[in-house]
Amino acid sequence: MTYSTPATRVFQRYDGPSIVLHWMTAFLVLLQFVLAECWSWPTKPVHHLMVVTHLTAGIILSVIMVFRVVWRLTKGRHLPNHLQPMSRVLALGVEYTLYALILAEIVLGYLWRWGGGQPMSFFGVLFPAPFAHFQKASLLWIHSLHDWNAWLIIILATGHGLAALFHHLILKDHVLERMLPGRSGG
């Protein structure tokens, strides 16, 4: 069995769709979080615009996550086989946990909005609730879960980003470069 150092190891990039879906997800998750954390600051017209943007981005994120999961399960490139077992377990654990938390956040968002009798808005097009209103206690519980789950996503995604930077800056093992657009592996 031959071994190579991280600096000399040939690395395989993720495919184009995986890279695009990854960065679109990252952007939308960050946008969603910032909007939700800041929309209580401005006055009514700007607040409303921020809420509508959050709802629209949520619908776009829903579609992207469906594509992302389908692509990942079918044609998307996977982790390289040369990873150490513990690194592989950690990487897959974080990846699958982020997928699960983001999907749960999407479901909670729809439940909170529609359960409160509010339509979802996609660029101003309204989609009414497909079910009856929830009781106030249920809505508060869903809202609380939606809020806490958002923080979990941000914390885990930040850790994911810091791990990628650690690999890039300290280990110099090309892990980050696998997900950067426009780069090629050696």
Side-chain angles (χ1 to χ4, degrees):
M1 176 177 254
T2 57
Y3 294 96
S4 60
T5 64
T8 62
R9 184 176 291 144
V10 174
F11 70 99
Q12 186 179 29
R13 287 175 29 84
Y14 280 95
D15 54 277
S18 293
I19 293 170
V20 169
L21 292 169
H22 175 270
W23 291 109
M24 287 176 72
T25 301
F27 170 76
L28 287 170
V29 164
L30 186 58
L31 174 68
Q32 293 290 80
F33 185 78
V34 170
L35 285 170
E37 290 300 313
C38 299
W39 66 30
S40 62
W41 300 348
T43 58
K44 186 75 170 170
V46 174
H47 167 81
H48 178 73
L49 179 61
M50 291 172 79
V51 170
V52 169
T53 302
H54 184 83
L55 296 172
T56 298
I59 292 171
I60 294 169
L61 182 60
S62 301
V63 172
I64 287 172
M65 285 305 294
V66 168
F67 278 117
R68 193 164 181 189
V69 169
V70 169
W71 184 255
R72 179 75 166 95
L73 293 174
T74 57
K75 299 180 183 195
R77 190 154 301 139
H78 299 277
L79 289 172
N81 291 328
H82 63 72
L83 282 180
Q84 297 295 324
M86 183 56 78
S87 294
R88 185 175 202 73
V89 167
L90 286 171
L92 288 174
V94 168
E95 178 183 354
Y96 295 151
T97 301
L98 276 169
Y99 275 54
L101 290 173
I102 292 169
L103 291 170
E105 188 71 357
I106 290 166
V107 170
L108 289 166
Y110 284 101
L111 288 174
W112 179 31
R113 185 74 180 176
W114 282 338
Q118 300 285 327
M120 286 294 292
S121 177
F122 184 71
F123 293 108
V125 176
L126 301 179
F127 297 95
F131 44 78
H133 300 201
F134 297 160
Q135 294 179 4
K136 186 170 179 135
S138 296
L139 281 177
L140 290 173
W141 182 71
I142 291 168
H143 175 244
S144 180
L145 286 176
H146 189 65
D147 189 47
W148 281 101
N149 192 53
W151 278 99
L152 285 174
I153 291 167
I154 291 301
I155 290 167
L156 192 58
T158 299
H160 173 67
L162 291 173
L165 288 174
F166 176 78
H167 277 270
H168 183 69
L169 298 172
I170 306 300
L171 299 179
K172 300 181 186 312
D173 61 5
H174 303 289
V175 166
L176 177 62
E177 293 174 35
R178 295 184 71 233
M179 191 52 81
L180 292 178
R183 303 266 181 137
S184 62

